[in-house]
Coordinates of all heavy atoms in Angstrom, one line a residue:
M291 N 10.8 45.8 68.8 CA 11.7 46.1 69.9 C 13.0 45.5 69.6 O 13.2 44.4 69.0 CB 11.1 45.4 71.2 CG 9.8 46.0 71.7 SD 9.5 45.6 73.4 CE 9.2 43.9 73.3
P292 N 14.1 46.2 70.0 CA 15.4 45.7 69.8 C 15.7 44.5 70.6 O 15.2 44.2 71.6 CB 16.3 46.9 70.2 CG 15.5 47.7 71.1 CD 14.1 47.5 70.7
R293 N 16.6 43.7 70.0 CA 17.0 42.4 70.6 C 18.5 42.5 71.1 O 19.3 43.1 70.5 CB 16.8 41.2 69.6 CG 15.4 40.9 69.3 CD 15.3 40.1 68.0 NE 15.8 40.9 66.9 CZ 16.7 40.4 66.1 NH1 17.1 39.2 66.1 NH2 17.2 41.2 65.1
I294 N 18.7 41.7 72.1 CA 20.1 41.6 72.7 C 20.4 40.1 72.8 O 19.5 39.4 73.3 CB 20.3 42.2 74.1 CG1 19.7 43.6 74.1 CG2 21.7 42.2 74.5 CD1 19.7 44.2 75.6
T295 N 21.5 39.7 72.4 CA 22.0 38.3 72.6 C 23.1 38.3 73.6 O 24.1 39.0 73.4 CB 22.4 37.6 71.3 OG1 21.3 37.5 70.4 CG2 22.9 36.2 71.6
Y296 N 22.9 37.6 74.7 CA 23.9 37.5 75.8 C 24.6 36.1 75.6 O 23.9 35.1 75.5 CB 23.3 37.5 77.2 CG 22.6 38.8 77.5 CD1 21.2 39.0 77.1 CD2 23.2 39.9 78.1 CE1 20.5 40.1 77.4 CE2 22.5 41.0 78.4 CZ 21.2 41.2 78.0 OH 20.5 42.3 78.3
I297 N 25.9 36.1 75.6 CA 26.6 34.9 75.4 C 27.5 34.6 76.7 O 28.3 35.4 77.1 CB 27.5 34.9 74.2 CG1 26.7 35.2 72.9 CG2 28.3 33.6 74.0 CD1 27.5 35.2 71.6
Q298 N 27.2 33.5 77.3 CA 27.9 33.1 78.5 C 29.3 32.6 78.2 O 29.6 32.2 77.1 CB 27.1 32.0 79.3 CG 25.7 32.4 79.7 CD 25.8 33.5 80.8 OE1 26.7 33.6 81.6 NE2 24.7 34.2 80.9
P299 N 30.2 32.6 79.2 CA 31.6 32.1 78.9 C 31.6 30.7 78.3 O 32.5 30.3 77.6 CB 32.2 32.2 80.3 CG 31.5 33.2 81.0 CD 30.1 33.1 80.6
D300 N 30.6 29.9 78.6 CA 30.6 28.5 78.1 C 29.9 28.4 76.7 O 29.7 27.4 76.2 CB 29.8 27.6 79.1 CG 28.3 27.8 79.2 OD1 27.8 28.8 78.5 OD2 27.6 27.1 79.9
G301 N 29.5 29.6 76.2 CA 29.0 29.6 74.8 C 27.5 29.6 74.8 O 26.9 29.8 73.7
T302 N 26.8 29.4 75.9 CA 25.3 29.4 76.0 C 24.8 30.8 75.6 O 25.3 31.8 76.1 CB 24.8 29.1 77.4 OG1 25.4 27.9 77.8 CG2 23.3 29.0 77.4
E303 N 23.8 30.8 74.7 CA 23.3 32.1 74.2 C 21.8 32.3 74.7 O 21.1 31.3 74.8 CB 23.3 32.2 72.7 CG 24.7 32.1 72.1 CD 24.6 32.3 70.6 OE1 23.5 32.7 70.0 OE2 25.6 32.1 69.9
Q304 N 21.5 33.5 75.0 CA 20.1 33.9 75.4 C 19.8 35.2 74.7 O 20.5 36.2 74.8 CB 20.0 34.0 76.9 CG 18.6 34.1 77.4 CD 18.6 34.0 78.9 OE1 19.5 33.6 79.6 NE2 17.4 34.3 79.5
C305 N 18.7 35.1 73.9 CA 18.3 36.3 73.1 C 17.0 36.9 73.8 O 16.1 36.2 74.1 CB 18.0 35.9 71.7 SG 17.6 37.4 70.6
V306 N 17.0 38.2 74.0 CA 15.9 38.8 74.7 C 15.5 40.1 73.9 O 16.3 40.7 73.3 CB 16.1 39.2 76.2 CG1 16.6 38.0 77.0 CG2 17.2 40.3 76.3
E307 N 14.2 40.4 73.9 CA 13.7 41.6 73.3 C 13.5 42.6 74.4 O 12.9 42.3 75.5 CB 12.3 41.3 72.6 CG 12.5 40.7 71.3 CD 11.2 40.7 70.5 OE1 10.1 41.0 71.1 OE2 11.2 40.5 69.3
V308 N 13.8 43.9 74.2 CA 13.7 44.9 75.2 C 13.1 46.1 74.6 O 13.2 46.4 73.4 CB 15.1 45.2 75.9 CG1 15.7 44.0 76.5 CG2 16.0 45.8 74.9
A309 N 12.5 46.9 75.4 CA 11.9 48.2 75.0 C 13.0 49.2 74.8 O 14.1 49.1 75.5 CB 10.9 48.7 76.0
D310 N 12.8 50.2 73.9 CA 13.8 51.3 73.7 C 14.1 51.9 75.1 O 13.1 52.1 75.9 CB 13.2 52.3 72.8 CG 13.4 52.0 71.4 OD1 14.0 50.9 71.1 OD2 13.0 52.8 70.5
G311 N 15.3 52.3 75.3 CA 15.6 53.0 76.5 C 16.0 52.2 77.7 O 16.5 52.7 78.7
V312 N 15.8 50.9 77.6 CA 16.2 50.0 78.7 C 17.7 49.6 78.6 O 18.2 49.4 77.5 CB 15.3 48.7 78.6 CG1 15.8 47.6 79.6 CG2 13.9 49.0 78.9
S313 N 18.4 49.6 79.7 CA 19.8 49.3 79.7 C 20.0 47.8 79.4 O 19.2 47.0 79.8 CB 20.5 49.8 80.9 OG 20.2 48.9 82.0
V314 N 21.2 47.5 78.9 CA 21.6 46.1 78.7 C 21.6 45.4 80.0 O 21.3 44.2 80.1 CB 22.9 46.1 78.0 CG1 23.5 44.6 77.9 CG2 22.8 46.7 76.6
M315 N 22.0 46.1 81.1 CA 22.0 45.5 82.4 C 20.6 45.2 82.9 O 20.3 44.1 83.3 CB 22.7 46.4 83.4 CG 22.7 46.0 84.9 SD 21.1 46.4 85.8 CE 21.4 48.1 86.3
H316 N 19.7 46.2 82.8 CA 18.3 45.9 83.3 C 17.6 44.8 82.5 O 16.8 44.0 83.0 CB 17.5 47.2 83.3 CG 17.6 48.1 84.5 ND1 18.1 49.4 84.5 CD2 17.4 47.8 85.8 CE1 18.2 49.8 85.7 NE2 17.8 48.9 86.5
A317 N 17.9 44.8 81.2 CA 17.3 43.8 80.4 C 17.7 42.4 80.8 O 16.9 41.4 80.8 CB 17.6 44.0 78.9
A318 N 19.0 42.3 81.2 CA 19.5 41.0 81.6 C 18.8 40.5 82.9 O 18.4 39.4 83.1 CB 21.0 41.1 81.8
L319 N 18.7 41.5 83.9 CA 18.1 41.1 85.1 C 16.7 40.7 85.0 O 16.2 39.8 85.6 CB 18.3 42.3 86.1 CG 19.7 42.7 86.6 CD1 19.6 43.7 87.7 CD2 20.5 41.5 87.0
A320 N 16.0 41.5 84.1 CA 14.5 41.3 83.9 C 14.3 39.9 83.2 O 13.2 39.4 83.3 CB 13.9 42.4 83.2
S321 N 15.3 39.4 82.5 CA 15.1 38.2 81.7 C 15.7 37.0 82.3 O 15.8 36.0 81.7 CB 15.6 38.5 80.3 OG 15.1 39.6 79.7
G322 N 16.3 37.2 83.5 CA 16.9 36.0 84.1 C 18.3 35.6 83.5 O 18.7 34.5 83.7
V323 N 18.9 36.5 82.9 CA 20.2 36.2 82.3 C 21.2 36.2 83.5 O 21.3 37.2 84.2 CB 20.6 37.3 81.3 CG1 22.1 37.0 80.8 CG2 19.7 37.2 80.1
S324 N 21.9 35.1 83.6 CA 22.9 35.1 84.7 C 24.2 35.7 84.3 O 24.5 36.0 83.2 CB 23.2 33.6 85.2 OG 23.7 32.9 84.1
G325 N 25.0 36.1 85.4 CA 26.3 36.6 85.1 C 26.4 38.1 85.2 O 27.5 38.7 85.0
I326 N 25.3 38.8 85.5 CA 25.4 40.2 85.8 C 24.8 40.5 87.2 O 23.7 40.1 87.5 CB 24.5 41.0 84.7 CG1 25.3 40.9 83.4 CG2 24.4 42.5 85.2 CD1 24.6 41.7 82.3
L327 N 25.6 41.0 88.1 CA 25.2 41.3 89.4 C 24.6 42.6 89.6 O 23.6 42.8 90.3 CB 26.4 41.1 90.4 CG 27.2 39.8 90.4 CD1 28.3 39.8 91.4 CD2 26.2 38.6 90.6
A328 N 25.2 43.7 89.1 CA 24.6 45.0 89.1 C 24.4 45.5 90.5 O 23.3 45.9 90.9 CB 23.3 45.1 88.3
E329 N 25.4 45.4 91.4 CA 25.2 45.7 92.8 C 24.8 47.1 93.1 O 24.2 47.4 94.1 CB 26.5 45.3 93.5 CG 26.7 43.8 93.7 CD 28.0 43.4 94.2 OE1 28.9 44.2 94.3 OE2 28.2 42.2 94.5
C330 N 25.2 48.1 92.2 CA 24.9 49.5 92.5 C 23.6 49.9 91.9 O 23.2 51.0 92.0 CB 26.1 50.4 92.1 SG 26.1 50.6 90.3
G331 N 23.0 49.0 91.1 CA 21.7 49.3 90.6 C 21.7 50.2 89.3 O 20.7 50.7 88.9
G332 N 22.9 50.4 88.8 CA 23.0 51.1 87.5 C 23.6 52.5 87.6 O 23.5 53.3 86.7
A333 N 24.3 52.7 88.7 CA 24.9 54.0 89.0 C 26.4 54.1 88.5 O 27.0 55.1 88.8 CB 24.8 54.4 90.5
A334 N 26.8 53.2 87.8 CA 28.2 53.2 87.3 C 29.2 53.2 88.4 O 30.2 53.9 88.3 CB 28.4 54.3 86.3
S335 N 28.9 52.6 89.5 CA 29.8 52.6 90.6 C 30.1 51.3 91.3 O 30.5 51.2 92.4 CB 29.3 53.6 91.7 OG 28.0 53.2 92.1
C336 N 29.9 50.2 90.5 CA 30.3 48.9 91.1 C 31.1 48.0 90.2 O 31.8 47.1 90.6 CB 29.0 48.2 91.6 SG 28.0 47.5 90.2
A337 N 30.9 48.1 88.9 CA 31.6 47.3 87.9 C 31.2 45.9 87.9 O 31.9 45.0 87.3 CB 33.1 47.5 88.0
T338 N 30.1 45.5 88.5 CA 29.6 44.1 88.5 C 28.6 43.9 87.4 O 27.8 42.9 87.4 CB 29.1 43.7 89.8 OG1 27.9 44.5 90.2 CG2 30.1 43.8 90.9
C339 N 28.5 44.8 86.4 CA 27.7 44.6 85.3 C 28.5 44.6 84.0 O 28.0 44.8 82.9 CB 26.6 45.6 85.2 SG 27.3 47.3 84.9
H340 N 29.8 44.2 84.2 CA 30.8 44.2 83.1 C 30.4 43.3 82.0 O 30.0 42.1 82.3 CB 32.1 43.8 83.7 CG 33.3 43.7 82.8 ND1 34.3 42.9 83.0 CD2 33.6 44.3 81.6 CE1 35.2 43.0 82.0 NE2 34.8 43.9 81.2
V341 N 30.5 43.7 80.8 CA 30.3 42.9 79.6 C 31.4 43.2 78.5 O 31.9 44.3 78.6 CB 28.9 43.0 78.9 CG1 27.8 42.5 79.9 CG2 28.6 44.4 78.4
Y342 N 31.5 42.3 77.6 CA 32.4 42.6 76.5 C 31.4 42.7 75.3 O 30.8 41.7 74.9 CB 33.4 41.4 76.2 CG 34.3 41.1 77.4 CD1 34.1 40.0 78.1 CD2 35.3 42.0 77.7 CE1 35.0 39.7 79.2 CE2 36.2 41.7 78.8 CZ 36.0 40.6 79.5 OH 36.8 40.3 80.6
V343 N 31.4 43.9 74.7 CA 30.5 44.1 73.5 C 31.2 43.4 72.3 O 32.4 43.5 72.1 CB 30.4 45.6 73.2 CG1 29.7 45.9 71.9 CG2 29.7 46.3 74.4
D344 N 30.4 42.7 71.6 CA 30.9 42.0 70.4 C 31.5 43.0 69.5 O 31.0 44.2 69.3 CB 29.8 41.3 69.7 CG 30.3 40.3 68.6 OD1 30.5 39.2 69.0 OD2 30.5 40.8 67.5
A345 N 32.7 42.7 68.9 CA 33.5 43.6 68.1 C 32.6 44.2 67.0 O 32.8 45.4 66.6 CB 34.7 42.9 67.5
A346 N 31.7 43.5 66.5 CA 30.8 44.0 65.3 C 30.0 45.2 65.8 O 29.5 45.9 64.9 CB 30.0 42.9 64.8
F347 N 29.8 45.4 67.1 CA 28.9 46.4 67.6 C 29.7 47.5 68.3 O 29.1 48.5 68.8 CB 27.9 45.9 68.5 CG 26.8 45.1 67.8 CD1 27.0 43.7 67.5 CD2 25.7 45.6 67.3 CE1 26.1 42.9 66.9 CE2 24.7 44.9 66.6 CZ 24.9 43.6 66.4
S348 N 31.0 47.4 68.4 CA 31.7 48.3 69.3 C 31.6 49.8 68.8 O 31.4 50.7 69.6 CB 33.2 48.0 69.4 OG 33.8 48.0 68.1
E349 N 31.6 50.0 67.5 CA 31.5 51.4 67.1 C 30.0 51.9 67.3 O 29.8 53.1 67.6 CB 31.8 51.5 65.6 CG 33.3 51.6 65.4 CD 33.7 52.0 64.0 OE1 32.9 52.6 63.3 OE2 34.8 51.6 63.6
R350 N 29.1 51.1 67.0 CA 27.7 51.5 67.1 C 27.3 51.8 68.6 O 26.5 52.7 68.9 CB 26.7 50.4 66.6 CG 25.9 50.9 65.4 CD 24.9 49.9 65.0 NE 25.5 48.7 64.4 CZ 24.8 47.6 64.1 NH1 23.5 47.6 64.3 NH2 25.4 46.6 63.5
V351 N 27.9 51.1 69.5 CA 27.6 51.4 71.0 C 28.3 52.7 71.4 O 27.7 53.4 72.3 CB 28.2 50.2 71.8 CG1 28.2 50.5 73.3 CG2 27.3 48.9 71.6
G352 N 29.4 53.0 70.8 CA 30.0 54.3 71.1 C 31.0 54.2 72.3 O 31.0 53.2 72.9
P353 N 31.7 55.3 72.5 CA 32.7 55.3 73.6 C 32.0 55.4 75.0 O 30.9 55.8 75.1 CB 33.5 56.5 73.3 CG 32.5 57.5 72.6 CD 31.6 56.6 71.9
C354 N 32.8 54.9 76.0 CA 32.2 55.0 77.3 C 32.5 56.4 77.9 O 33.3 57.1 77.5 CB 32.8 53.9 78.2 SG 34.5 54.0 78.4
G355 N 31.7 56.7 78.9 CA 31.8 58.0 79.6 C 33.0 58.0 80.6 O 33.6 56.9 80.8
E356 N 33.3 59.1 81.2 CA 34.4 59.3 82.1 C 34.3 58.4 83.3 O 35.2 57.7 83.7 CB 34.5 60.8 82.5 CG 35.9 61.2 82.8 CD 35.9 62.7 83.0 OE1 35.7 63.5 82.0 OE2 36.2 63.1 84.1
D357 N 33.1 58.4 83.9 CA 32.9 57.6 85.2 C 33.0 56.1 84.8 O 33.6 55.4 85.5 CB 31.5 57.9 85.8 CG 31.4 59.3 86.4 OD1 32.5 59.9 86.5 OD2 30.3 59.7 86.7
E358 N 32.4 55.8 83.7 CA 32.4 54.4 83.3 C 33.8 53.9 83.0 O 34.3 52.9 83.4 CB 31.5 54.2 82.0 CG 31.5 52.7 81.5 CD 30.7 52.6 80.3 OE1 30.1 53.6 79.8 OE2 30.6 51.4 79.8
D359 N 34.6 54.8 82.4 CA 36.0 54.5 82.0 C 36.8 54.2 83.3 O 37.5 53.2 83.4 CB 36.6 55.6 81.2 CG 38.0 55.3 80.8 OD1 38.2 54.2 80.4 OD2 38.8 56.2 80.8
A360 N 36.6 55.0 84.3 CA 37.3 54.8 85.6 C 36.9 53.5 86.3 O 37.7 52.8 86.8 CB 37.0 56.0 86.5
M361 N 35.6 53.3 86.2 CA 35.1 52.1 86.9 C 35.5 50.8 86.2 O 35.7 49.7 86.8 CB 33.5 52.2 86.9 CG 32.8 51.5 88.1 SD 33.4 52.3 89.6 CE 33.8 50.8 90.5
L362 N 35.7 50.9 84.9 CA 36.1 49.7 84.2 C 37.5 49.2 84.6 O 38.0 48.1 84.2 CB 36.1 50.0 82.7 CG 34.7 49.9 82.1 CD1 34.7 50.5 80.7 CD2 34.2 48.4 82.0
D363 N 38.3 50.1 85.3 CA 39.6 49.6 85.8 C 39.4 48.7 87.1 O 40.4 48.2 87.6 CB 40.4 50.8 86.2 CG 41.0 51.5 85.0 OD1 41.1 50.9 83.9 OD2 41.2 52.7 85.1
C364 N 38.2 48.5 87.5 CA 37.9 47.8 88.7 C 37.1 46.5 88.4 O 36.6 45.8 89.4 CB 37.0 48.6 89.7 SG 37.7 50.2 90.1
T365 N 37.1 46.0 87.2 CA 36.4 44.8 86.9 C 37.1 43.6 87.4 O 38.3 43.5 87.5 CB 36.2 44.6 85.4 OG1 37.5 44.7 84.8 CG2 35.3 45.8 84.8
A366 N 36.3 42.5 87.8 CA 36.9 41.3 88.3 C 37.6 40.5 87.2 O 38.6 39.9 87.4 CB 35.8 40.4 88.9
S367 N 37.0 40.5 86.0 CA 37.7 39.9 84.9 C 38.4 40.9 84.1 O 38.0 42.1 84.2 CB 36.6 39.2 84.0 OG 36.1 38.1 84.6
A368 N 39.4 40.5 83.4 CA 40.3 41.5 82.7 C 39.5 42.5 81.8 O 38.6 42.1 81.1 CB 41.3 40.7 81.9
R369 N 39.9 43.7 81.9 CA 39.4 44.7 81.0 C 40.0 44.6 79.6 O 41.2 44.4 79.5 CB 39.6 46.1 81.6 CG 39.1 47.2 80.7 CD 39.4 48.6 81.2 NE 38.8 49.6 80.4 CZ 38.8 50.9 80.7 NH1 39.4 51.4 81.8 NH2 38.2 51.8 79.9
T370 N 39.2 44.7 78.6 CA 39.7 44.8 77.2 C 39.2 46.0 76.5 O 38.4 46.7 77.1 CB 39.3 43.5 76.4 OG1 37.9 43.6 76.0 CG2 39.5 42.2 77.2
S371 N 39.5 46.2 75.3 CA 39.0 47.3 74.5 C 37.5 47.2 74.2 O 36.9 48.2 73.8 CB 39.8 47.4 73.2 OG 39.6 46.3 72.4
L372 N 37.0 46.0 74.5 CA 35.5 45.8 74.2 C 34.7 45.8 75.5 O 33.5 45.6 75.5 CB 35.3 44.5 73.5 CG 36.0 44.4 72.1 CD1 35.9 42.9 71.6 CD2 35.3 45.3 71.1
S373 N 35.4 46.1 76.6 CA 34.7 46.1 77.9 C 33.8 47.3 78.1 O 34.2 48.4 77.7 CB 35.8 46.2 79.1 OG 36.4 45.0 79.2
R374 N 32.6 47.1 78.6 CA 31.7 48.2 78.9 C 30.9 47.8 80.2 O 30.8 46.6 80.5 CB 30.7 48.4 77.8 CG 31.3 48.9 76.5 CD 31.8 50.3 76.6 NE 30.8 51.2 77.1 CZ 30.0 52.0 76.4 NH1 30.1 51.9 75.1 NH2 29.1 52.8 76.9
L375 N 30.3 48.8 80.8 CA 29.4 48.6 81.9 C 28.0 48.5 81.2 O 27.6 49.4 80.6 CB 29.4 49.7 82.9 CG 30.8 49.9 83.7 CD1 30.7 51.0 84.6 CD2 31.2 48.6 84.4
S376 N 27.4 47.3 81.4 CA 26.1 47.1 80.7 C 25.0 48.1 81.2 O 24.0 48.3 80.5 CB 25.6 45.7 80.8 OG 25.5 45.3 82.1
C377 N 25.2 48.6 82.4 CA 24.1 49.6 82.9 C 24.2 50.9 82.1 O 23.3 51.8 82.2 CB 24.3 49.8 84.4 SG 25.8 50.7 84.9
Q378 N 25.3 51.1 81.4 CA 25.5 52.4 80.7 C 25.2 52.3 79.2 O 25.4 53.3 78.5 CB 27.0 52.9 80.9 CG 27.3 53.1 82.4 CD 26.4 54.1 83.1 OE1 26.3 55.3 82.6 NE2 25.8 53.7 84.1
I379 N 24.7 51.2 78.8 CA 24.4 51.0 77.4 C 22.8 51.0 77.3 O 22.2 50.0 77.8 CB 25.0 49.7 76.8 CG1 26.5 49.7 76.9 CG2 24.6 49.6 75.3 CD1 27.1 48.4 76.5
E380 N 22.3 52.0 76.7 CA 20.8 52.1 76.6 C 20.4 51.5 75.2 O 21.0 51.9 74.2 CB 20.4 53.6 76.7 CG 19.0 53.8 77.1 CD 18.8 55.3 77.5 OE1 19.1 55.7 78.6 OE2 18.4 56.0 76.6
M381 N 19.4 50.7 75.2 CA 19.0 50.0 74.0 C 18.2 51.0 73.1 O 17.5 51.9 73.6 CB 18.2 48.8 74.2 CG 19.1 47.6 74.7 SD 20.5 47.3 73.5 CE 19.6 46.6 72.1
S382 N 18.3 50.8 71.8 CA 17.6 51.6 70.8 C 17.5 50.8 69.6 O 18.2 49.7 69.5 CB 18.3 52.9 70.5 OG 19.6 52.6 69.9
D383 N 16.7 51.2 68.6 CA 16.6 50.4 67.4 C 17.9 50.3 66.7 O 18.2 49.4 66.0 CB 15.5 51.1 66.5 CG 14.1 50.8 67.0 OD1 13.9 49.8 67.7 OD2 13.2 51.6 66.6
E384 N 18.7 51.4 66.8 CA 20.1 51.3 66.2 C 20.9 50.2 66.7 O 21.8 49.7 66.0 CB 20.8 52.7 66.4 CG 20.2 53.9 65.7 CD 18.9 54.3 66.3 OE1 18.8 54.4 67.5 OE2 18.0 54.6 65.5
L385 N 20.6 49.7 67.9 CA 21.4 48.6 68.5 C 20.8 47.3 68.4 O 21.2 46.3 69.0 CB 21.8 49.0 70.0 CG 22.7 50.1 70.2 CD1 22.9 50.3 71.7 CD2 24.1 49.9 69.5
D386 N 19.7 47.2 67.6 CA 19.0 45.9 67.4 C 20.0 44.8 67.0 O 20.8 45.0 66.1 CB 17.9 46.1 66.4 CG 17.1 44.8 66.2 OD1 16.9 44.1 67.2 OD2 16.7 44.5 65.0
G387 N 19.9 43.7 67.7 CA 20.8 42.6 67.4 C 22.1 42.6 68.2 O 22.9 41.7 68.0
L388 N 22.2 43.6 69.1 CA 23.4 43.7 69.9 C 23.8 42.3 70.5 O 23.0 41.6 71.0 CB 23.2 44.7 71.0 CG 24.4 44.9 72.0 CD1 25.6 45.6 71.3 CD2 23.9 45.8 73.1
I389 N 25.1 42.1 70.5 CA 25.6 40.8 71.1 C 26.6 41.3 72.2 O 27.5 42.1 71.9 CB 26.4 40.0 70.1 CG1 25.4 39.5 69.0 CG2 27.0 38.7 70.7 CD1 26.1 38.8 67.8
V390 N 26.4 40.7 73.4 CA 27.4 41.0 74.5 C 27.9 39.7 75.0 O 27.1 38.7 75.1 CB 26.8 41.9 75.6 CG1 26.6 43.3 75.0 CG2 25.6 41.3 76.2
H391 N 29.1 39.6 75.4 CA 29.7 38.4 76.0 C 29.9 38.7 77.5 O 30.4 39.7 77.9 CB 31.1 38.1 75.4 CG 31.0 37.9 73.9 ND1 30.9 36.7 73.3 CD2 30.9 38.8 72.8 CE1 30.8 36.8 72.0 NE2 30.8 38.1 71.7
L392 N 29.4 37.7 78.3 CA 29.6 37.8 79.7 C 31.0 37.4 80.2 O 31.5 36.5 79.6 CB 28.6 36.9 80.5 CG 27.1 37.4 80.6 CD1 27.0 38.8 81.3 CD2 26.4 37.5 79.3
P393 N 31.5 38.1 81.2 CA 32.9 37.7 81.6 C 32.8 36.5 82.5 O 31.7 36.1 83.0 CB 33.3 38.9 82.4 CG 32.1 39.5 82.9 CD 31.0 39.3 81.9
E394 N 34.0 35.9 82.8 CA 34.0 34.7 83.7 C 33.6 35.1 85.1 O 33.0 34.2 85.8 CB 35.5 34.2 83.8 CG 35.9 33.5 82.5 CD 35.4 32.1 82.3 OE1 34.8 31.6 83.2 OE2 35.6 31.6 81.2
A395 N 33.9 36.3 85.6 CA 33.6 36.7 87.0 C 33.2 38.1 87.0 O 33.6 38.9 86.2 CB 34.8 36.4 87.9
Q396 N 32.3 38.4 88.0 CA 31.9 39.8 88.2 C 32.4 40.4 89.6 O 32.3 41.6 89.9 CB 30.4 40.0 88.2 CG 29.8 39.7 86.8 CD 30.0 40.9 85.8 OE1 30.8 41.8 86.1 NE2 29.3 40.9 84.7
A397 N 32.8 39.5 90.4 CA 33.3 39.9 91.8 C 34.3 39.0 92.3 O 34.5 37.9 91.8 CB 32.1 40.0 92.7
Ligands
FES658 S1 25.3 48.2 87.8 FE1 26.9 49.0 89.0 S2 28.3 49.8 87.5 FE2 26.6 49.0 86.3

């Protein structure tokens, strides 16, 4: 099963294993990773599941969709070129070892 490492703003790391097809957002909620609110439940309409994908994985994760791109303009913490909505990143073996950084704030 692919693994994801979540890194909090204070540097605390949490590594979780997830099944293929599970979103980075759902994996965080299921594993008790703090810092992701996911108020809309994964519909790309709240921006409270904002993460910064580690630069080493940005190409592998691929570009964001149109709805996600628009929603990323509404994040509580500053948007960067590495910003993504974690509900829109589906895990797969190709993303094994993915590292995401949590923002300081989600709302
Ligand atoms: S959970 Fe709402 S945009 Fe991702």
Side-chain angles (χ1 to χ4, degrees):
M291 291 203 292
R293 291 162 299 132
I294 310 169
T295 298
Y296 299 88
I297 303 180
Q298 299 292 335
D300 69 358
T302 306
E303 295 186 14
Q304 194 169 344
C305 184
V306 304
E307 281 193 342
V308 300
D310 275 3
V312 173
S313 74
V314 173
M315 175 277 275
H316 274 121
L319 295 187
S321 306
V323 174
S324 61
I326 290 183
L327 302 182
E329 287 172 350
C330 77
S335 59
C336 74
T338 62
C339 66
H340 178 207
V341 296
Y342 301 109
V343 172
D344 193 89
F347 288 87
S348 61
E349 277 190 26
R350 244 187 287 173
V351 166
C354 61
E356 211 171 290
D357 291 348
E358 181 181 358
D359 186 37
M361 213 58 231
L362 281 167
D363 286 335
C364 307
T365 54
S367 291
R369 178 181 185 173
T370 75
S371 59
L372 298 171
S373 289
R374 292 295 304 268
L375 298 180
S376 59
C377 68
Q378 301 301 303
I379 303 173
E380 204 171 273
M381 285 306 291
S382 62
D383 286 337
E384 290 72 41
L385 291 179
D386 182 33
L388 177 68
I389 298 169
V390 296
H391 302 262
L392 281 303
E394 289 284 350
Q396 291 286 14

